[in-house]
Amino acid sequence: MILTIRQIANWVAESVLSKEDSRKRAAVVKHFIAVADVSGVRRNMNTQCSPINVSQRCRLLQNFSTMVAITSGLNTPPIRRLKRTWEQVNQRFAGQLSICESTIDSNKNFNNYRSTLARITPPCVPFIGKKLSQKKILVPDCVTRNLSHDTHFY
């Protein structure tokens, strides 16, 4: 699971860096922010994925694992150093990225992330993280509610 997250993060960074023009890099950054955005309200799963709804994808799917991977890829030092690229990312997209970052902020033992998980309804794809020893915190109720009593996390 961690390897997959790392591969997605590297793919995001490579996709941005593969563009030579800062406008094209900014467009790629905006696309990945839109995919990772979790700021929208939950909509009906039958809603068409038009460009307006693209920004709701990870929220609709409750795919926190991919959201973490995309956010991590956008926060790698080579991407963050692209000043001209980030200047072309408007405030709306910057705000969406900020919401993603605050959702997975590690302060207070991932308190924002845990409270988000407590509010959602199953199914979800949680972010497992590196510290599997914190399984009580990292395996949300939305996952454990649907498992039989014979399932154990080791």
Side-chain angles (χ1 to χ4, degrees):
M1 182 70 106
I2 299 301
L3 177 62
T4 304
I5 292 171
R6 192 174 305 137
Q7 289 173 333
I8 293 171
N10 289 340
W11 172 67
V12 168
E14 184 179 320
S15 297
V16 174
L17 293 173
S18 69
K19 308 297 182 198
E20 291 186 25
D21 182 26
S22 64
R23 287 177 297 183
K24 291 179 181 176
R25 285 193 304 260
V28 173
V29 167
K30 289 177 190 177
H31 171 74
F32 281 117
I33 291 171
V35 171
D37 177 32
V38 296
S39 65
V41 294
R42 193 174 196 298
R43 294 188 180 156
N44 186 340
M45 291 302 285
N46 295 326
T47 303
Q48 296 285 332
C49 282
S50 67
I52 296 169
N53 295 338
V54 168
S55 65
Q56 315 300 324
R57 283 188 185 167
C58 281
R59 179 65 173 155
L60 283 172
L61 298 174
Q62 299 178 141
N63 187 341
F64 299 103
S65 182
T66 303
M67 184 197 71
V68 168
I70 292 171
T71 304
S72 298
L74 292 173
N75 282 313
T76 58
I79 304 302
R80 279 296 176 184
R81 284 193 297 254
L82 299 170
K83 288 185 180 183
R84 280 183 267 162
T85 299
W86 285 103
E87 287 170 357
Q88 296 179 38
V89 175
N90 63 32
Q91 289 295 337
R92 187 185 112 215
F93 284 100
Q96 289 173 326
L97 181 60
S98 178
I99 290 169
C100 291
E101 292 168 340
S102 68
T103 301
I104 59 170
D105 186 17
S106 62
N107 288 335
K108 296 185 181 179
N109 203 12
F110 293 93
N111 188 46
N112 290 342
Y113 176 61
R114 289 187 291 120
S115 65
T116 300
L117 288 177
R119 288 190 310 264
I120 65 171
T121 56
C124 70
V125 180
F127 169 61
I128 301 298
K130 291 183 180 180
K131 297 182 179 180
L132 294 175
S133 62
Q134 294 179 339
K135 61 187 172 192
K136 181 109 173 135
I137 294 169
L138 295 174
V139 178
D141 288 339
C142 71
V143 173
T144 57
R145 281 191 298 249
N146 294 326
L147 299 175
S148 69
H149 295 291
D150 299 332
T151 304
H152 300 285
F153 292 97
Y154 294 103

